[in-house]
Amino acid sequence: MLSFGSADASFRTVVIAWAEWLDDWLAYQKNFGTGPDERIQAAHLMTFYAHHLGAVAGHLFLASGDAVDFSPESLHVRFEVFDPMEGRPEAARRFHFRSIHSAAPGSEDALHDNLVHSLLPAVEVLGRRCGLSAGSLWRLASDGIFGALVDVGRALNEEDRATTVGLAIVEKQGSPFRSGAPRLERIVGCDGGERVYRIRSGCCLAYRAGEGRHCDVCVLLSPEERRRRLAALAG
């Protein structure tokens, strides 16, 4: 969620929030099966947070062409409980961002730069706390941002445009998001229909929890094994 205006005492600037509320945000990731391992929680949190940030930034840009200053020193955030809704888990929570700056016409480059700047505290804090490398954290963030943009585009009936914008942002030359690896896998099912799957560029470490199975779109799988699994999913 994104709102505009002055922030009340329930918000913190992004810089302060990552310092003060990290324990709470990490603990919440256990709801997604991360288990007690803080490294797995941190990997999931990086993508989870970036997806929320990418969703609000992407919706604004795709719907209006606008961007907003997401500087972590001025952008505020709180982690709030959703309003009750059928099918939503009890006590489900979301990041609510509040900008003191007005939106203005933007560009893909401006959107990219805003996202990178805003995510700097997350990369620094999670790297220091949980020992994940900056490179791995940036790749996890890029997965969240790209996924959010595609999801928003689908909701706006502009999935192709959103995918193009998303790729321009996460694969921009010189960007910390850039992996250089394919982000999409196209699989033809038994019915002749094509399914498009988003491929992870960063490892969420989920294979270290539970039964130890790699995700079907895991970056650690060989291309051949990944395509085999996705073909089975496609039917």
Side-chain angles (χ1 to χ4, degrees), residues 13-218:
T13 63
V14 166
V15 169
I16 294 174
W18 274 101
E20 288 190 4
W21 293 339
L22 178 59
D23 287 341
D24 178 46
W25 294 357
L26 284 171
Y28 185 77
Q29 307 312 305
K30 296 176 185 177
N31 293 305
F32 304 103
T34 62
D37 188 327
E38 274 200 350
R39 285 173 62 86
I40 304 175
Q41 293 167 15
H44 196 279
L45 175 57
M46 186 75 254
T47 302
F48 181 72
Y49 180 87
H51 189 280
H52 280 72
L53 185 66
V56 298
H59 189 278
L60 183 65
F61 184 76
L62 292 170
S64 66
D66 288 347
V68 68
D69 183 357
F70 280 163
S71 300
E73 299 82 9
S74 60
L75 182 67
H76 289 69
V77 64
R78 71 183 180 200
F79 196 38
E80 63 187 20
V81 177
F82 275 109
D83 292 332
M85 178 178 174
E86 184 179 354
R88 180 175 289 154
E90 185 177 354
R93 297 166 72 186
R94 67 181 176 190
F95 289 106
H96 178 169
F97 298 97
R98 193 161 182 87
S99 175
I100 62 174
H101 302 288
S102 299
S107 64
E108 292 173 4
D109 284 343
L111 181 57
H112 168 275
D113 294 348
N114 279 338
L115 290 168
V116 169
H117 189 193
S118 196
L119 287 166
L120 285 171
V123 173
E124 293 173 3
V125 169
L126 288 174
R128 184 167 60 248
R129 169 70 174 264
C130 302
L132 297 175
S133 70
S136 66
L137 289 165
W138 282 117
R139 289 190 295 274
L140 288 162
S142 76
D143 290 337
I145 289 167
F146 182 56
L149 281 162
V150 174
D151 291 343
V152 168
R154 185 178 298 121
L156 295 173
N157 292 318
E158 290 201 62
E159 186 173 350
D160 289 345
R161 175 176 168 240
T163 299
T164 300
V165 171
L167 289 172
I169 290 169
V170 300
E171 289 299 327
K172 181 180 178 181
Q173 287 290 341
S175 172
F177 294 142
R178 181 175 170 80
S179 71
R183 296 274 180 167
L184 300 169
E185 187 79 67
R186 300 180 185 276
I187 301 292
V188 177
C190 294
D191 60 358
E194 184 180 73
R195 279 75 161 172
V196 181
Y197 297 93
R198 295 197 295 264
I199 307 304
R200 300 294 298 259
S201 68
C203 181
C204 66
L205 303 179
Y207 72 92
R208 294 177 50 176
E211 299 177 358
R213 185 178 186 275
H214 289 80
C215 306
D216 293 327
V217 292
C218 182

